[in-house]
């Protein structure tokens, strides 16, 4: 039985995508690479594809954090500070659960993210729910990126 991990989405099946790995024995985060080369103009916000999807157990979430060196070395920040990948995002009908990094170029020059470049790290974590949550009406995910918002 699979408990948590990463898979390559079908669009990138033959694109040489590397599954994320932890760099050291005590690293919390799995290094996630760009699936394509993406150029960002000054101030531009772009979705950088990872070519990956993540599966996990109920009560777990995958947080995606920018690598700490991105602002200083690349002039890039993860625009939403932290990406939240929910369990039901996996294999959703809109995009198969494909994960993206929403990055912003904070420099005055064009920045290139190369295919295979490590851009963020994913950390699997448990989460808690508030009292009375079981009584709340729950919606079923009907879409992909950003689909739970209004």
């Amino acid at each position: 039985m699979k408990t948590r991990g990463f898979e390559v989405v079908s669009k990138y099946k033959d694109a040489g995508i590397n599954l994320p790995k932890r760099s050291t024995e005590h690293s919390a985060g799995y290094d996630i690479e760009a699936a394509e080369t993406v150029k960002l103009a000054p101030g531009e916000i772009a979705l950088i594809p990872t070519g990956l999807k993540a599966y996990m157990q109920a009560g777990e979430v995958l947080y995606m954090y920018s690598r700490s060196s991105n602002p200083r070395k690349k002039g890039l920040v993860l625009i939403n500070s932290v990406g939240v990948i929910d369990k039901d995002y996996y294999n959703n009908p809109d995009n198969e659960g494909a994960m993206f990094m929403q990055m912003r170029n904070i420099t005055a020059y064009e920045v290139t993210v190369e295919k295979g470049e490590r851009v963020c790290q994913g950390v699997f974590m448990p989460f808690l729910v508030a009292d009375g949550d079981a009584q709340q009406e729950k919606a079923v995910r009907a879409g992909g990126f950003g689909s739970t918002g209004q």
Side-chain angles (χ1 to χ4, degrees):
M1 178 180 145
K2 299 189 306 186
T3 55
R4 73 193 55 78
F6 302 93
E7 297 172 352
V8 176
V9 294
S10 55
K11 176 180 177 181
Y12 293 95
K13 184 179 83 162
D14 298 317
I17 302 299
N18 295 314
L19 291 179
K21 295 178 183 168
R22 294 181 308 133
S23 295
T24 68
E25 178 183 3
H26 298 288
S27 294
Y30 288 82
D31 291 330
I32 298 175
E33 302 173 354
E36 300 175 10
T37 296
V38 177
K39 295 182 184 295
L40 290 89
E44 181 181 4
I45 297 171
L47 292 176
I48 300 174
T50 67
L52 300 169
K53 57 185 174 179
Y55 59 91
M56 64 207 79
Q57 299 300 300
E60 295 180 347
V61 63
L62 174 67
Y63 293 120
M64 291 174 65
Y65 300 100
S66 181
R67 295 188 71 214
S68 59
S69 62
N70 281 340
R72 185 174 43 83
K73 289 184 177 178
K74 296 288 288 186
L76 295 175
V77 294
L78 191 62
I79 197 67
N80 55 340
S81 301
V82 62
V84 177
I85 309 297
D86 299 311
K87 176 184 173 30
D88 61 354
Y89 188 66
Y90 177 76
N91 281 341
N92 75 72
D94 277 3
N95 68 1
E96 194 186 338
M99 301 184 318
F100 298 85
M101 298 168 285
Q102 191 170 209
M103 305 297 288
R104 180 176 191 172
N105 176 355
I106 59 171
T107 73
Y109 53 87
E110 183 177 84
V111 172
T112 300
V113 175
E114 299 290 344
K115 179 188 184 301
E117 186 175 343
R118 296 177 298 158
V119 181
C120 76
Q121 47 189 323
V123 178
F124 289 100
M125 294 286 295
F127 66 89
L128 304 173
V129 295
D131 293 341
D133 185 74
Q135 289 78 32
Q136 294 177 358
E137 185 177 318
K138 302 294 187 288
V140 175
R141 181 179 295 276
F145 190 88
S147 65
T148 59
Q150 296 296 327

